[in-house]
Coordinates of all heavy atoms in Angstrom, one line a residue:
V1 N 142.7 -95.7 46.8 CA 142.0 -96.4 47.9 C 142.9 -97.4 48.6 O 143.7 -98.1 47.9 CB 140.8 -97.1 47.3 CG1 140.1 -98.0 48.4 CG2 139.8 -96.2 46.7
D2 N 142.9 -97.4 49.9 CA 143.7 -98.3 50.7 C 142.9 -99.7 50.5 O 141.8 -99.8 51.0 CB 143.7 -97.9 52.1 CG 144.5 -98.8 53.0 OD1 144.6 -100.0 52.7 OD2 145.0 -98.3 54.1
I3 N 143.5 -100.7 49.9 CA 142.9 -101.9 49.6 C 142.5 -102.6 50.9 O 141.4 -103.3 51.0 CB 143.8 -102.9 48.8 CG1 144.2 -102.2 47.4 CG2 143.2 -104.2 48.6 CD1 143.0 -101.9 46.6
L4 N 143.3 -102.5 51.9 CA 142.9 -103.2 53.2 C 141.7 -102.6 53.9 O 140.9 -103.4 54.5 CB 144.2 -103.3 54.1 CG 145.4 -104.0 53.6 CD1 146.5 -103.9 54.5 CD2 145.0 -105.5 53.3
S5 N 141.6 -101.3 53.9 CA 140.5 -100.7 54.7 C 139.4 -100.3 53.8 O 138.3 -100.0 54.3 CB 141.1 -99.5 55.4 OG 141.5 -98.5 54.5
G6 N 139.6 -100.1 52.5 CA 138.5 -99.6 51.6 C 138.3 -98.1 51.8 O 137.2 -97.6 51.4
I7 N 139.2 -97.4 52.4 CA 139.0 -96.0 52.7 C 140.0 -95.2 51.9 O 141.2 -95.4 51.8 CB 139.3 -95.8 54.2 CG1 138.2 -96.5 55.0 CG2 139.2 -94.3 54.6 CD1 138.6 -96.6 56.5
D8 N 139.5 -94.1 51.3 CA 140.3 -93.2 50.6 C 140.9 -92.2 51.6 O 140.3 -91.9 52.6 CB 139.4 -92.3 49.6 CG 139.4 -92.9 48.2 OD1 140.2 -93.8 47.9 OD2 138.5 -92.5 47.4
D9 N 142.1 -91.7 51.2 CA 142.8 -90.8 52.1 C 142.3 -89.3 51.9 O 142.1 -88.6 52.8 CB 144.3 -90.8 51.9 CG 144.9 -92.0 52.5 OD1 144.4 -92.5 53.5 OD2 145.9 -92.6 51.9
L10 N 142.1 -88.9 50.6 CA 141.8 -87.5 50.3 C 140.6 -87.3 49.4 O 140.0 -86.3 49.5 CB 143.1 -86.8 49.6 CG 144.3 -86.9 50.4 CD1 145.5 -86.3 49.6 CD2 144.2 -86.0 51.7
N11 N 140.3 -88.2 48.6 CA 139.4 -87.9 47.5 C 138.5 -89.2 47.2 O 139.1 -90.3 47.1 CB 140.1 -87.6 46.3 CG 139.3 -87.0 45.2 OD1 138.1 -87.3 45.1 ND2 139.9 -86.2 44.3
M12 N 137.2 -89.1 47.2 CA 136.4 -90.3 47.0 C 135.1 -89.9 46.4 O 134.3 -89.1 46.9 CB 136.1 -90.9 48.4 CG 135.3 -92.2 48.3 SD 135.0 -92.8 49.9 CE 134.4 -94.4 49.5
G13 N 134.9 -90.4 45.2 CA 133.6 -90.3 44.5 C 132.9 -89.0 44.6 O 131.8 -88.9 45.2
G14 N 133.5 -87.9 44.2 CA 132.9 -86.6 44.2 C 133.1 -85.9 45.5 O 132.4 -84.9 45.8
V15 N 134.0 -86.3 46.3 CA 134.3 -85.6 47.6 C 135.8 -85.3 47.7 O 136.6 -86.2 47.4 CB 133.9 -86.5 48.8 CG1 134.2 -85.8 50.1 CG2 132.4 -87.0 48.7
Q16 N 136.1 -84.1 48.1 CA 137.5 -83.7 48.4 C 137.6 -83.2 49.8 O 136.6 -82.6 50.3 CB 137.9 -82.7 47.4 CG 138.0 -83.2 45.9 CD 138.4 -82.1 45.0 OE1 138.4 -80.9 45.3 NE2 138.8 -82.5 43.8
M17 N 138.7 -83.3 50.4 CA 138.9 -82.9 51.8 C 140.3 -82.3 51.9 O 141.3 -82.9 51.4 CB 138.8 -84.2 52.7 CG 138.8 -84.0 54.1 SD 138.3 -85.4 55.0 CE 139.6 -86.6 54.5
F18 N 140.4 -81.2 52.7 CA 141.7 -80.6 52.9 C 141.6 -79.6 54.1 O 140.5 -79.2 54.5 CB 142.2 -79.8 51.6 CG 141.2 -78.7 51.2 CD1 141.4 -77.4 51.6 CD2 140.2 -79.0 50.3 CE1 140.5 -76.4 51.2 CE2 139.3 -78.0 49.9 CZ 139.4 -76.7 50.4
P19 N 142.7 -79.2 54.7 CA 144.0 -79.7 54.6 C 144.2 -81.1 55.3 O 143.5 -81.3 56.3 CB 144.9 -78.7 55.2 CG 144.1 -78.1 56.3 CD 142.7 -78.1 55.8
V20 N 145.0 -81.9 54.8 CA 145.3 -83.2 55.5 C 146.8 -83.2 55.6 O 147.5 -83.2 54.6 CB 144.8 -84.4 54.7 CG1 145.2 -85.7 55.4 CG2 143.3 -84.3 54.6
P21 N 147.4 -83.2 56.8 CA 146.7 -83.2 58.1 C 146.1 -81.9 58.4 O 146.4 -80.9 57.9 CB 147.9 -83.5 59.1 CG 149.1 -83.1 58.4 CD 148.9 -83.2 56.9
A22 N 145.0 -82.0 59.3 CA 144.3 -80.8 59.7 C 144.7 -80.4 61.1 O 145.1 -81.2 61.9 CB 142.8 -81.2 59.7
K23 N 144.6 -79.1 61.3 CA 145.0 -78.6 62.7 C 143.8 -78.0 63.4 O 143.5 -78.4 64.5 CB 146.1 -77.5 62.5 CG 146.6 -77.0 63.8 CD 147.7 -76.0 63.7 CE 148.2 -75.5 65.1 NZ 149.2 -74.5 65.0
D24 N 143.1 -77.1 62.8 CA 141.9 -76.4 63.4 C 140.6 -76.7 62.7 O 139.6 -77.0 63.4 CB 142.1 -74.9 63.5 CG 143.3 -74.5 64.3 OD1 143.5 -75.1 65.4 OD2 144.0 -73.6 63.9
Y25 N 140.6 -76.7 61.4 CA 139.4 -76.9 60.6 C 139.7 -77.8 59.4 O 140.9 -77.9 58.9 CB 138.9 -75.6 60.1 CG 138.5 -74.7 61.2 CD1 139.3 -73.7 61.7 CD2 137.2 -74.8 61.8 CE1 139.0 -72.9 62.7 CE2 136.8 -73.9 62.8 CZ 137.7 -73.0 63.3 OH 137.3 -72.2 64.3
L26 N 138.7 -78.6 59.0 CA 138.8 -79.5 57.9 C 137.7 -79.1 56.9 O 136.6 -79.1 57.3 CB 138.7 -80.9 58.4 CG 138.8 -82.0 57.4 CD1 140.3 -82.1 56.9 CD2 138.4 -83.4 57.9
K27 N 138.1 -78.8 55.7 CA 137.1 -78.5 54.7 C 136.8 -79.7 53.9 O 137.7 -80.5 53.5 CB 137.6 -77.4 53.7 CG 137.6 -76.1 54.4 CD 137.2 -75.0 53.4 CE 137.3 -73.7 54.0 NZ 136.1 -73.1 54.4
V28 N 135.5 -80.0 53.6 CA 135.0 -81.1 52.8 C 134.2 -80.4 51.7 O 133.3 -79.7 51.9 CB 134.1 -82.0 53.6 CG1 133.6 -83.1 52.7 CG2 134.9 -82.6 54.8
L29 N 134.6 -80.7 50.4 CA 133.9 -80.2 49.3 C 133.2 -81.4 48.6 O 133.8 -82.4 48.2 CB 134.9 -79.6 48.3 CG 135.7 -78.4 48.8 CD1 136.7 -77.9 47.7 CD2 134.8 -77.3 49.2
L30 N 131.9 -81.2 48.4 CA 131.1 -82.1 47.6 C 131.0 -81.6 46.2 O 130.6 -80.5 46.0 CB 129.7 -82.3 48.3 CG 129.8 -82.6 49.8 CD1 128.4 -82.5 50.4 CD2 130.3 -83.9 50.0
L31 N 131.3 -82.4 45.3 CA 131.3 -82.0 43.9 C 129.9 -82.1 43.3 O 129.7 -81.7 42.2 CB 132.3 -82.8 43.1 CG 133.7 -82.8 43.6 CD1 134.7 -83.6 42.7 CD2 134.2 -81.3 43.7
E32 N 129.0 -82.6 44.1 CA 127.6 -82.7 43.6 C 126.7 -82.5 44.9 O 127.1 -82.7 46.0 CB 127.2 -84.0 42.9 CG 127.5 -85.2 43.8 CD 127.4 -86.5 43.0 OE1 128.1 -86.6 42.0 OE2 126.7 -87.4 43.5
E33 N 125.5 -82.0 44.6 CA 124.5 -81.8 45.8 C 124.1 -83.2 46.3 O 123.7 -84.1 45.5 CB 123.3 -81.1 45.3 CG 123.5 -79.6 44.9 CD 123.8 -78.7 46.1 OE1 123.3 -79.0 47.2 OE2 124.4 -77.7 45.9
I34 N 124.2 -83.4 47.6 CA 123.6 -84.6 48.2 C 122.8 -84.2 49.5 O 123.0 -83.1 50.0 CB 124.8 -85.6 48.6 CG1 125.7 -85.0 49.7 CG2 125.5 -86.0 47.4 CD1 126.6 -86.0 50.2
T35 N 122.0 -85.1 49.9 CA 121.2 -84.9 51.1 C 121.7 -86.0 52.1 O 121.9 -87.1 51.8 CB 119.7 -85.2 50.8 OG1 119.3 -84.3 49.8 CG2 118.9 -85.0 52.0
G36 N 121.9 -85.5 53.3 CA 122.4 -86.5 54.3 C 123.1 -85.7 55.5 O 122.8 -84.6 55.7
N37 N 124.0 -86.4 56.1 CA 124.8 -85.8 57.2 C 126.2 -86.3 57.1 O 126.6 -87.2 56.4 CB 124.1 -86.2 58.6 CG 124.1 -87.7 58.9 OD1 125.1 -88.4 58.8 ND2 122.9 -88.2 59.2
I38 N 127.0 -85.5 57.9 CA 128.5 -85.8 57.9 C 128.9 -85.9 59.4 O 128.5 -85.2 60.2 CB 129.2 -84.7 57.1 CG1 130.7 -85.0 57.0 CG2 129.0 -83.3 57.8 CD1 131.4 -84.1 56.0
S39 N 129.8 -86.9 59.6 CA 130.2 -87.2 61.0 C 131.7 -87.3 61.1 O 132.3 -87.7 60.1 CB 129.6 -88.5 61.5 OG 128.2 -88.5 61.5
I40 N 132.3 -87.0 62.2 CA 133.7 -87.3 62.5 C 133.6 -88.6 63.4 O 132.9 -88.6 64.4 CB 134.4 -86.2 63.2 CG1 134.5 -85.0 62.3 CG2 135.8 -86.6 63.6 CD1 135.1 -83.8 62.9
V41 N 134.4 -89.6 63.0 CA 134.3 -90.9 63.7 C 135.7 -91.3 64.1 O 136.6 -91.1 63.3 CB 133.6 -91.9 62.8 CG1 133.5 -93.3 63.4 CG2 132.3 -91.4 62.3
T42 N 135.9 -92.0 65.2 CA 137.1 -92.5 65.6 C 137.3 -93.8 64.8 O 136.4 -94.4 64.3 CB 137.2 -92.9 67.1 OG1 136.3 -93.9 67.4 CG2 137.0 -91.6 67.9
L43 N 138.6 -94.4 64.8 CA 138.8 -95.6 64.1 C 138.1 -96.8 64.7 O 137.9 -97.8 64.1 CB 140.3 -95.9 64.0 CG 141.1 -94.9 63.2 CD1 142.6 -95.2 63.2 CD2 140.6 -94.8 61.7
N44 N 137.7 -96.7 66.0 CA 136.9 -97.8 66.6 C 135.4 -97.6 66.4 O 134.7 -98.4 67.0 CB 137.3 -98.0 68.1 CG 137.0 -96.9 69.0 OD1 136.2 -95.9 68.6 ND2 137.4 -96.9 70.2
G45 N 135.0 -96.6 65.7 CA 133.6 -96.4 65.4 C 132.8 -95.4 66.2 O 131.6 -95.3 66.0
S46 N 133.4 -94.8 67.2 CA 132.7 -93.9 68.0 C 132.5 -92.6 67.3 O 133.4 -92.0 66.7 CB 133.5 -93.5 69.3 OG 133.7 -94.7 70.1
V47 N 131.2 -92.1 67.2 CA 130.9 -90.9 66.6 C 131.1 -89.7 67.5 O 130.6 -89.6 68.6 CB 129.4 -90.9 66.1 CG1 129.0 -89.6 65.4 CG2 129.1 -92.1 65.2
L48 N 132.0 -88.8 67.0 CA 132.3 -87.6 67.9 C 131.5 -86.4 67.6 O 131.2 -85.6 68.5 CB 133.8 -87.3 67.7 CG 134.8 -88.4 68.0 CD1 136.2 -88.0 67.6 CD2 134.7 -88.8 69.4
S49 N 131.0 -86.2 66.3 CA 130.2 -85.1 66.0 C 129.4 -85.5 64.7 O 129.9 -86.3 63.9 CB 130.9 -83.8 65.8 OG 131.8 -83.9 64.7
T50 N 128.2 -84.9 64.5 CA 127.4 -85.1 63.3 C 126.7 -83.8 63.0 O 126.3 -83.1 63.9 CB 126.4 -86.2 63.6 OG1 127.0 -87.4 63.9 CG2 125.5 -86.4 62.3
E51 N 126.7 -83.5 61.7 CA 125.9 -82.3 61.3 C 125.2 -82.6 60.0 O 125.7 -83.4 59.2 CB 126.7 -81.0 61.3 CG 127.8 -81.0 60.3 CD 128.6 -79.8 60.3 OE1 129.4 -79.6 61.3 OE2 128.4 -78.9 59.4
T52 N 124.1 -81.9 59.7 CA 123.4 -82.1 58.5 C 124.1 -81.4 57.4 O 124.6 -80.3 57.6 CB 122.0 -81.5 58.6 OG1 121.3 -82.1 59.7 CG2 121.2 -81.6 57.3
I53 N 124.2 -82.0 56.2 CA 124.8 -81.4 55.1 C 123.8 -80.3 54.5 O 122.7 -80.7 54.1 CB 125.1 -82.4 54.0 CG1 126.2 -83.4 54.6 CG2 125.6 -81.8 52.7 CD1 126.4 -84.6 53.7
S54 N 124.3 -79.1 54.5 CA 123.4 -78.0 54.0 C 123.9 -77.3 52.7 O 123.2 -76.6 52.1 CB 123.2 -77.0 55.1 OG 124.5 -76.4 55.5
N55 N 125.1 -77.6 52.3 CA 125.6 -77.1 51.1 C 126.8 -77.9 50.6 O 127.2 -78.9 51.3 CB 126.0 -75.6 51.2 CG 127.0 -75.3 52.2 OD1 128.1 -76.0 52.3 ND2 126.8 -74.4 53.1
K56 N 127.4 -77.6 49.5 CA 128.5 -78.4 48.9 C 129.9 -78.1 49.6 O 130.8 -78.9 49.3 CB 128.6 -78.1 47.4 CG 127.4 -78.7 46.7 CD 127.3 -78.2 45.3 CE 128.4 -78.6 44.4 NZ 128.2 -78.3 43.0
E57 N 130.0 -77.1 50.4 CA 131.3 -76.9 51.2 C 131.0 -76.9 52.7 O 130.2 -76.1 53.2 CB 131.9 -75.5 50.8 CG 133.2 -75.3 51.4 CD 133.9 -74.0 51.0 OE1 133.8 -73.7 49.7 OE2 134.4 -73.3 51.8
I58 N 131.6 -77.8 53.3 CA 131.4 -78.0 54.8 C 132.7 -77.8 55.5 O 133.8 -78.3 55.1 CB 130.9 -79.5 55.1 CG1 129.6 -79.7 54.3 CG2 130.7 -79.7 56.5 CD1 129.5 -81.1 53.7
T59 N 132.7 -77.0 56.6 CA 133.9 -76.8 57.4 C 133.6 -77.5 58.7 O 132.7 -77.1 59.4 CB 134.1 -75.3 57.6 OG1 134.3 -74.7 56.3 CG2 135.4 -75.1 58.4
L60 N 134.5 -78.4 59.1 CA 134.4 -79.1 60.3 C 135.4 -78.6 61.3 O 136.6 -78.5 60.9 CB 134.7 -80.6 60.1 CG 133.7 -81.3 59.1 CD1 134.1 -82.7 58.8 CD2 132.3 -81.3 59.7
D61 N 135.0 -78.3 62.5 CA 135.9 -77.8 63.6 C 136.5 -79.0 64.2 O 135.9 -79.8 64.8 CB 135.1 -77.0 64.6 CG 135.9 -76.3 65.6 OD1 137.1 -76.7 65.8 OD2 135.4 -75.5 66.4
V62 N 137.9 -79.1 64.1 CA 138.6 -80.3 64.7 C 139.5 -79.8 65.8 O 140.3 -80.6 66.2 CB 139.3 -81.1 63.6 CG1 138.4 -81.7 62.6 CG2 140.4 -80.2 62.9
R63 N 139.4 -78.6 66.2 CA 140.3 -78.0 67.3 C 140.3 -78.8 68.6 O 141.3 -79.0 69.2 CB 139.9 -76.6 67.6 CG 140.3 -75.6 66.5 CD 139.8 -74.2 66.8 NE 138.4 -74.2 66.9 CZ 137.6 -73.2 67.2 NH1 138.2 -72.0 67.5 NH2 136.3 -73.2 67.2
N64 N 139.1 -79.4 68.9 CA 139.0 -80.1 70.2 C 139.4 -81.6 70.1 O 139.4 -82.3 71.1 CB 137.6 -80.0 70.7 CG 137.3 -78.6 71.1 OD1 138.1 -77.9 71.6 ND2 136.0 -78.2 71.0
L65 N 139.8 -82.1 68.9 CA 140.2 -83.5 68.8 C 141.7 -83.6 69.2 O 142.5 -82.7 69.0 CB 140.1 -83.9 67.3 CG 138.7 -83.9 66.7 CD1 138.8 -84.4 65.2 CD2 137.7 -84.8 67.5
N66 N 142.0 -84.8 69.8 CA 143.3 -85.1 70.1 C 144.1 -85.4 68.8 O 143.4 -85.8 67.8 CB 143.4 -86.3 71.0 CG 142.9 -86.0 72.4 OD1 143.0 -84.9 72.9 ND2 142.2 -87.0 73.0
K67 N 145.4 -85.3 68.8 CA 146.2 -85.7 67.6 C 145.9 -87.2 67.3 O 145.8 -88.0 68.2 CB 147.7 -85.4 67.9 CG 148.0 -84.0 68.0 CD 149.5 -83.8 68.2 CE 149.8 -82.3 68.3 NZ 151.2 -82.1 68.5
G68 N 145.8 -87.5 66.0 CA 145.6 -88.9 65.7 C 144.9 -89.0 64.3 O 144.7 -88.0 63.6
V69 N 144.4 -90.2 64.0 CA 143.8 -90.5 62.8 C 142.3 -90.7 63.1 O 141.9 -91.4 64.0 CB 144.3 -91.8 62.1 CG1 143.6 -92.1 60.9 CG2 145.8 -91.6 61.9
Y70 N 141.5 -90.1 62.2 CA 140.0 -90.1 62.3 C 139.4 -90.4 60.9 O 140.1 -90.3 59.9 CB 139.5 -88.7 62.8 CG 139.9 -88.4 64.2 CD1 141.1 -87.8 64.4 CD2 139.2 -88.8 65.3 CE1 141.6 -87.5 65.7 CE2 139.6 -88.5 66.6 CZ 140.8 -87.8 66.8 OH 141.2 -87.5 68.1
L71 N 138.1 -90.6 60.9 CA 137.3 -90.8 59.7 C 136.3 -89.7 59.6 O 135.7 -89.3 60.6 CB 136.6 -92.1 59.7 CG 137.5 -93.4 59.8 CD1 136.7 -94.6 59.9 CD2 138.5 -93.5 58.6
V72 N 136.0 -89.3 58.4 CA 134.9 -88.5 58.1 C 133.9 -89.4 57.4 O 134.2 -90.1 56.4 CB 135.2 -87.3 57.1 CG1 133.9 -86.6 56.6 CG2 136.0 -86.3 57.9
K73 N 132.7 -89.5 57.9 CA 131.7 -90.4 57.4 C 130.6 -89.5 56.8 O 130.0 -88.7 57.5 CB 131.1 -91.3 58.5 CG 130.0 -92.2 57.9 CD 129.4 -93.1 59.1 CE 128.4 -94.0 58.6 NZ 127.7 -94.8 59.7
I74 N 130.3 -89.7 55.5 CA 129.3 -89.0 54.8 C 128.1 -90.0 54.6 O 128.3 -91.0 53.8 CB 129.8 -88.4 53.5 CG1 130.9 -87.4 53.8 CG2 128.6 -87.7 52.8 CD1 131.6 -86.9 52.6
N75 N 127.0 -89.8 55.2 CA 125.8 -90.6 55.0 C 124.9 -89.8 54.0 O 124.5 -88.7 54.3 CB 125.0 -90.8 56.3 CG 125.7 -91.8 57.2 OD1 126.0 -92.9 56.7 ND2 125.9 -91.5 58.4
S76 N 124.6 -90.5 52.9 CA 123.7 -89.8 51.9 C 122.8 -90.9 51.3 O 122.9 -92.1 51.6 CB 124.6 -89.2 50.8 OG 125.2 -90.1 50.0
N77 N 122.0 -90.4 50.4 CA 121.1 -91.3 49.7 C 121.8 -92.3 48.8 O 121.2 -93.3 48.4 CB 120.0 -90.5 48.9 CG 120.7 -89.5 47.9 OD1 121.9 -89.2 48.1 ND2 119.9 -88.9 47.0
T78 N 123.1 -92.1 48.6 CA 123.9 -93.1 47.8 C 124.6 -94.0 48.7 O 125.4 -94.8 48.2 CB 124.8 -92.4 46.8 OG1 125.7 -91.6 47.6 CG2 124.1 -91.5 45.8
G79 N 124.4 -93.9 50.0 CA 125.1 -94.8 50.9 C 126.2 -94.1 51.6 O 126.6 -93.0 51.3
P80 N 126.9 -94.8 52.6 CA 127.9 -94.1 53.4 C 129.3 -94.1 52.6 O 129.6 -95.0 51.8 CB 128.0 -95.0 54.6 CG 127.6 -96.3 54.2 CD 126.5 -96.1 53.1
K81 N 130.0 -93.0 52.8 CA 131.4 -92.9 52.3 C 132.3 -92.5 53.5 O 131.9 -91.7 54.4 CB 131.5 -91.8 51.2 CG 130.7 -92.1 50.0 CD 130.9 -91.0 49.0 CE 130.1 -91.3 47.7 NZ 130.3 -90.4 46.7
F82 N 133.5 -93.1 53.5 CA 134.4 -92.8 54.6 C 135.7 -92.2 54.0 O 136.2 -92.8 53.0 CB 134.8 -94.1 55.4 CG 133.6 -94.7 56.1 CD1 132.7 -95.6 55.5 CD2 133.5 -94.4 57.5 CE1 131.7 -96.1 56.3 CE2 132.4 -94.9 58.2 CZ 131.5 -95.8 57.6
L83 N 136.2 -91.2 54.6 CA 137.5 -90.6 54.3 C 138.3 -90.5 55.5 O 137.8 -90.1 56.6 CB 137.3 -89.2 53.6 CG 136.6 -89.3 52.3 CD1 135.1 -88.9 52.5 CD2 137.2 -88.3 51.3
K84 N 139.6 -90.9 55.4 CA 140.5 -90.8 56.5 C 141.3 -89.5 56.5 O 141.6 -89.0 55.5 CB 141.5 -92.0 56.4 CG 142.5 -92.2 57.5 CD 143.3 -93.5 57.4 CE 143.7 -93.8 56.0 NZ 144.6 -95.0 56.0
F85 N 141.5 -88.9 57.8 CA 142.3 -87.8 57.9 C 143.1 -87.8 59.2 O 142.8 -88.5 60.1 CB 141.5 -86.5 57.8 CG 140.7 -86.1 59.1 CD1 141.2 -85.3 60.0 CD2 139.4 -86.7 59.3 CE1 140.5 -84.9 61.1 CE2 138.7 -86.4 60.4 CZ 139.2 -85.5 61.4
V86 N 144.1 -87.0 59.2 CA 145.0 -86.9 60.4 C 144.8 -85.6 61.0 O 144.8 -84.6 60.4 CB 146.5 -87.1 60.0 CG1 147.4 -86.9 61.2 CG2 146.7 -88.5 59.4
K87 N 144.7 -85.6 62.4 CA 144.6 -84.4 63.2 C 146.0 -84.1 63.7 O 146.5 -84.9 64.4 CB 143.5 -84.5 64.3 CG 143.6 -83.5 65.4 CD 143.3 -82.1 64.9 CE 143.0 -81.2 66.0 NZ 144.1 -80.5 66.6
Q88 N 146.5 -82.9 63.5 CA 147.9 -82.5 64.0 C 147.7 -82.0 65.4 O 146.8 -81.3 65.7 CB 148.5 -81.5 63.1 CG 149.3 -82.0 62.0 CD 150.0 -80.9 61.3 OE1 149.6 -79.8 61.2 NE2 151.2 -81.3 60.7

């Protein structure tokens, strides 16, 4: 965990994300079933996309994102989780 931001780079409490950096697609693996939604968010907080979590493996299309650093926000019954990723 990055102490200054409180954000994990790759792995956080039952969540894994790859490949990082991402080029076309980003896979998010949930190690347990959760109910909620997943969003791609800019570092200034703008939500770029949101979808409902329907299974434990989620593929996010990042082809239309500009190169840079983004956050994946997972909203669930256990509260929000943020993971940082780089778009190539």
Side-chain angles (χ1 to χ4, degrees):
V1 174
D2 181 336
I3 299 301
L4 296 177
S5 67
I7 298 169
D8 269 346
D9 287 326
L10 300 174
N11 191 333
M12 180 179 194
V15 180
Q16 295 178 344
M17 186 171 61
F18 61 90
V20 177
K23 185 175 179 184
D24 296 322
Y25 296 95
L26 184 68
K27 288 218 182 258
V28 179
L29 298 178
L30 306 172
L31 303 181
E32 58 191 53
E33 293 285 337
I34 64 170
T35 302
N37 59 54
I38 187 166
S39 302
I40 297 176
V41 182
T42 64
L43 293 180
N44 67 8
S46 298
V47 177
L48 302 177
S49 67
T50 300
E51 63 182 78
T52 301
I53 296 171
S54 58
N55 59 50
K56 291 169 63 174
E57 183 175 317
I58 302 143
T59 301
L60 300 173
D61 185 348
V62 297
R63 291 176 293 177
N64 293 326
L65 298 179
N66 293 325
K67 292 180 181 182
V69 178
Y70 296 88
L71 301 174
V72 169
K73 179 181 181 183
I74 299 173
N75 283 312
S76 71
N77 52 348
T78 61
K81 294 182 181 182
F82 294 86
L83 294 98
K84 182 171 43 175
F85 76 96
V86 174
K87 165 63 165 92
Q88 271 186 330

